[in-house]
Amino acid sequence: AQRVTQPEKLLSVFKGAPVELKCNYSYSGSPELFWYVQYSRQRLQLLLRHISRESIKGFTADLNKGETSFHLKKPFAQEEDSAMYYCALINTDKLIFGTGTRLQVFP
Amino acid sequence: DAGITQSPRHKVTETGTPVTLRCHQTENHRYMYWYRQDPGHGLRLIHYSYGVKDTDKGEVSDGYSVSRSKTEDFLLTLESATSSQTSVYFCAISESTRGGRDTQYFGPGTRLTVL
């Protein structure tokens, strides 16, 4: 079955510390993976997609097919990064979301 | 924000009553989705639509029905609300499901409480 797993419900770090939000997937075929973010009192929005291989707000994510992972990383966390982060993959017409990780960045 | 609105934004209802949530878009996107968001479960797809009058079930469709008679509107109906349907409901739209046009744009959400 297609599945996205985010093992951490909550990740707390101090400002300036590195951040890694974990995402593992199971999918038969070539996955298309995404990270979506929901800031407080804002709508859920796309952060980045693996196909574009871009860095958004300092975040990057590399698809590792061997480990079936798509971890989200940032070398130096900022307070404004505090949000709920969802990893997702496309399965035909649908997005399958993970359960989300709340990132708290303390000053 | 993409032109997506949801109504109502908040609703409290009683068990057994019917409830209809509305999603309206001004983007003329083909795909529309209804999700529910619950702690510990993330976002789960209820139903989605790939065109006018074309809908399909998602992961948690039991107890829900949808209709799409116009491109811009996607209605979610709880025929007889239960307390387990207390949740935050999100609508999303996308232009396509591949080729870089598969970004989903989300509405502001509807908080539904079933007493």
Side-chain angles (χ1 to χ4, degrees):
Chain A
Q2 330 298 2
R3 186 188 299 270
V4 176
T5 302
Q6 294 180 251
E8 304 141 329
K9 288 186 179 180
L10 174 66
L11 184 62
S12 299
V13 301
F14 286 101
K15 177 182 173 182
V19 169
E20 181 178 70
L21 287 81
K22 291 184 169 47
C23 172
N24 289 91
Y25 68 89
S26 63
Y27 186 77
S28 53
S30 293
E32 291 187 42
L33 287 148
F34 307 81
W35 278 97
Y36 279 79
V37 60
Q38 188 175 26
Y39 301 103
S40 178
R41 297 188 182 84
Q42 293 188 29
R43 303 183 186 202
L44 198 69
Q45 59 186 288
L46 178 67
L47 180 62
L48 56 80
R49 62 177 72 232
H50 90 270
I51 286 180
S52 58
R53 299 183 63 81
E54 56 193 343
S55 173
I56 303 293
K57 299 185 178 183
F59 284 99
T60 59
D62 290 320
L63 177 61
N64 185 323
K65 291 186 178 181
E67 295 183 358
T68 59
S69 68
F70 188 56
H71 302 329
L72 184 68
K73 300 178 184 179
K74 185 169 183 176
F76 307 104
Q78 303 299 315
E79 289 179 68
E80 55 265 31
D81 295 330
S82 296
M84 193 74 177
Y85 291 80
Y86 291 97
C87 183
L89 70 81
I90 277 195
N91 181 25
T92 56
D93 290 345
K94 301 171 291 221
L95 271 183
I96 299 173
F97 285 90
T99 52
T101 298
R102 181 168 297 284
L103 175 64
Q104 289 182 334
V105 182
F106 295 109
Chain B
D1 290 334
I4 312 167
T5 57
Q6 292 183 231
S7 59
R9 294 292 313 282
H10 302 272
K11 186 169 183 65
V12 179
T13 191
E14 294 189 347
T15 298
T17 60
V19 175
T20 295
L21 308 182
R22 179 182 184 235
C23 177
H24 179 77
Q25 61 148 327
T26 57
E27 305 297 321
N28 200 36
H29 281 359
R30 178 182 175 190
Y31 290 84
M32 298 186 76
Y33 306 82
W34 276 109
Y35 295 91
R36 58 178 291 174
Q37 184 183 43
D38 304 288
H41 292 279
L43 281 153
R44 292 180 292 174
L45 182 66
I46 304 171
H47 282 281
Y48 69 102
S49 169
Y50 47 95
V52 173
K53 291 185 169 50
D54 292 323
T55 65
D56 205 349
K57 296 179 180 180
E59 178 187 359
V60 289
S61 59
D62 287 348
Y64 302 93
S65 62
V66 290
S67 66
R68 192 170 178 198
S69 59
K70 299 184 290 185
T71 299
E72 57 266 35
D73 289 325
F74 192 34
L75 304 181
L76 176 71
T77 297
L78 291 66
E79 302 290 348
S80 177
T82 67
S83 58
S84 64
Q85 293 175 312
T86 293
S87 186
V88 180
Y89 290 86
F90 287 97
C91 174
I93 64 173
S94 69
E95 189 177 2
S96 177
T97 58
R98 52 188 53 82
R101 297 176 297 141
D102 51 11
T103 299
Q104 290 199 9
Y105 300 93
F106 284 81
T110 294
R111 185 173 295 275
L112 176 67
T113 301
V114 183
L115 302 176

